[in-house]
Amino acid sequence: MRYEFSKEDEDFRQELRSWIRDEIQGDFKDWQGVDESADGFEYGLEIRRKLAKKGWLTMAWPKEYGGQGASYMKQVIFNEEMSYHRMPGRDGFGAKMLGPTLMVHGTEEQKKRFLPPIANGEVQWCQGYSEPDSGSDLASLKLKVEDKGDHWLVNGTKVWTSMAHKASWIFFLGRTDPDAPKHKGISFFLANIKDANIQVKPIINMAGSHHFNQVIFEDVKIPKDALIGELNKGWYIAATLLDFERSGVEYPATARRNFEEIVDLVKNTKDSLGVPLIKDPYINKTLIDLDLEIEAARLVAYEVAYLQSQGEVPSIEGSVAKILGTQLSQKVAKIGTDFAGLYGQLSDSSAPFDGKYLKQQLTVTAYTIFAGTTEIQKNIIATRGLGLPLSLIHISEPTRQEAISYAVFCLK
């Protein structure tokens, strides 16, 4: 399938690109973005507020809530360009997840209180879903929330909570009826991390980065209006497909930028005989294959958005996009590490990429685990897409050829 964007979409892409280039600190070619979970947090907030003033932060929101009611494809353009240019500030937790949830399930008072700060880029939220023993099987969560009449009492632990150390608010799931079946008896809550005296403990990943956290609720009291939606209906709230765009286009967009960086290195590096590395048959074929895989992942991402624009729920195609995108991220990081050589693994300003790709390779190991493991995505493809019974499925990592073949199938 070929995708043609409207003139309005293309004009928006050019406007966005120009704006981004003006906002980038330093030369575009040398720009590596910032770490919003660390020193780049304040800069990320600054960009977020600027996006809000432009109307881009929440442009996918319905117009009645201050958004632009933007099309799925326009949202794809926004996410693609922001990812390619390594720009911070998109606010995945507030603008993309919690805001739409409140629009559907929140009271008018909750909407008036929480939506404007999100739309203005003023607050950092985090998501409290996973627990030490509840990851992919989220419905088995144990965090206990008791009704004490004039408040809720919360006890338990959340883990792998991204950005909790920078967030001022958290939305989370808690068990309010321990006797109900595991998918029932769960409720959806909001809490002010500082006011509620919630403990946030850092989890440093193997790349040496602090992005994840353990969040501990120990006799934490939160007000009664912290409940969103109906009591014991939190699972259904959490599972509601509220994202305006879930194409996963961020993966191939980021991969494309990294690919171009790797190609530049290979073009400008010579072997011991003075021959440019780009002429090495193995390196050349590796880069050609990678180029094709990036484009395949990009087209599948477009397909997901296109199906959404037609009112369909692309759960199968979304799973394909997740598999392609996350494995692509891992492959690009490994190729970058390999091609940079041993010196390129050092964090040294004179080393190739300043050791970036080794750190990236360690970081993206988690990509095929979080947000639904590859095994779960493959189950979805097999049962919903191919009609296979669950008992016959061999749960394993899909091969590159399997993923590409199904991508081609989706695009027919």
Side-chain angles (χ1 to χ4, degrees):
M1 181 179 292
R2 294 181 180 273
Y3 293 92
E4 293 185 2
F5 292 96
S6 67
K7 183 179 184 304
E8 179 184 354
D9 288 338
E10 291 296 352
D11 288 345
F12 171 68
R13 188 188 292 274
Q14 294 306 318
E15 180 186 3
L16 178 59
R17 282 180 179 175
S18 297
W19 181 84
I20 290 174
R21 296 296 178 103
D22 289 340
E23 291 295 332
I24 285 177
Q25 298 176 337
D27 184 76
F28 167 73
K29 188 174 181 180
D30 299 325
W31 171 249
Q32 295 296 326
V34 298
D35 184 354
E36 289 185 89
S37 64
D39 295 340
F41 179 69
E42 292 300 326
Y43 177 68
L45 283 182
E46 178 186 339
I47 294 298
R48 187 181 301 177
R49 295 187 190 103
K50 289 182 178 181
L51 290 171
K53 289 182 179 179
K54 297 284 290 184
W56 293 341
L57 182 64
T58 55
M59 67 178 182
W61 285 16
K63 292 181 179 179
E64 57 265 35
Y65 294 108
Q68 299 179 8
S71 68
Y72 290 96
M73 299 312 289
K74 188 173 183 180
Q75 188 66 29
V76 164
I77 291 172
F78 177 77
N79 287 339
E80 186 173 34
E81 293 298 329
M82 291 288 285
S83 297
Y84 174 81
H85 288 86
R86 298 167 175 160
M87 289 299 288
R90 274 171 287 174
D91 189 19
F93 293 119
K96 189 175 181 182
M97 298 174 69
L98 180 62
T101 302
L102 289 175
M103 292 174 203
V104 176
H105 298 285
T107 65
E108 285 305 311
E109 290 76 16
Q110 289 168 335
K111 294 174 187 177
K112 290 178 181 177
R113 180 183 179 188
F114 294 110
L115 290 181
I118 294 174
N120 294 331
E122 298 171 352
V123 61
Q124 177 66 48
W125 284 85
C126 64
Q127 177 189 31
Y129 278 17
S130 296
E131 296 183 6
D133 296 315
S134 302
S136 295
D137 183 17
L138 181 60
S140 66
L141 64 87
K142 297 180 177 63
L143 183 129
K144 185 178 181 182
V145 183
E146 300 174 89
D147 187 347
K148 293 299 183 180
D150 62 343
H151 67 273
W152 301 100
L153 185 65
V154 189
N155 281 283
T157 300
K158 296 293 180 180
V159 76
W160 314 126
T161 311
S162 300
M163 295 297 288
H165 60 301
K166 296 294 185 180
S168 51
W169 285 84
I170 181 172
F171 57 93
F172 66 96
L173 295 175
R175 189 161 297 283
T176 44
D177 185 352
D179 298 321
K182 69 177 187 178
H183 286 85
K184 299 180 180 179
I186 295 173
S187 300
F188 191 105
F189 296 93
L190 311 178
N192 185 304
I193 293 177
K194 305 294 189 298
D195 291 350
N197 197 31
I198 297 168
Q199 301 176 54
V200 177
K201 295 186 176 181
I203 296 175
I204 309 301
N205 67 19
M206 63 183 177
S209 298
H210 176 197
H211 182 77
F212 297 132
N213 302 271
Q214 182 180 23
V215 180
I216 300 172
F217 296 78
E218 186 174 349
D219 290 332
V220 169
K221 298 179 180 180
I222 57 176
K224 295 304 291 287
D225 62 1
L227 173 69
I228 302 299
E230 293 184 50
L231 185 67
N232 297 326
K233 298 293 184 181
W235 179 259
Y236 307 102
I237 296 173
T240 301
L241 296 178
L242 292 169
D243 279 355
F244 288 85
E245 189 274 311
R246 289 187 172 185
S247 74
V249 75
E250 296 90 344
Y251 294 119
T254 300
R256 174 61 63 190
R257 178 70 183 280
N258 290 340
F259 171 77
E260 292 172 358
E261 198 172 65
I262 294 170
V263 170
D264 283 343
L265 171 74
V266 172
K267 283 182 176 179
N268 295 305
T269 303
K270 298 180 180 180
D271 63 18
S272 58
L273 299 177
V275 179
L277 292 181
I278 194 68
K279 294 186 176 182
D280 181 287
Y282 168 75
I283 291 177
N284 193 275
K285 183 180 184 305
T286 298
L287 292 174
I288 290 173
D289 287 346
L290 184 58
D291 190 12
L292 292 173
E293 290 182 50
I294 291 172
E295 186 63 14
R298 177 173 178 253
L299 291 176
V300 171
Y302 282 2
E303 173 76 355
V304 173
Y306 171 76
L307 290 173
Q308 286 180 312
S309 72
Q310 302 302 303
E312 298 184 38
V313 180
S315 61
I316 306 161
E317 294 82 1
S319 291
V320 174
K322 170 68 163 55
I323 291 173
L324 285 174
T326 53
Q327 292 190 332
L328 178 62
S329 299
Q330 292 173 346
K331 185 168 187 176
V332 172
K334 185 179 187 307
I335 290 173
T337 302
D338 291 346
F339 285 11
L342 293 176
Y343 190 23
Q345 297 180 27
L346 301 178
S347 294
D348 186 321
S349 59
S350 63
F353 307 128
D354 192 19
K356 179 183 75 172
Y357 283 102
L358 174 61
K359 184 174 182 179
Q360 191 176 112
Q361 189 174 354
L362 294 173
T363 300
V364 300
T365 299
Y367 281 21
T368 49
I369 300 172
F370 64 47
T373 66
T374 293
E375 291 81 0
I376 286 178
Q377 304 304 329
K378 195 174 184 184
N379 267 352
I380 292 172
I381 295 169
T383 55
R384 300 180 189 176
L386 302 177
L388 298 176
L390 188 60
S391 60
L392 295 181
I393 298 171
H394 173 62
I395 310 249
S396 63
E397 292 284 332
T399 65
R400 168 178 172 270
Q401 189 55 49
E402 285 176 315
I404 292 295
S405 295
Y406 194 74
V408 172
F409 169 75
C410 289
L411 294 169
K412 287 183 179 178

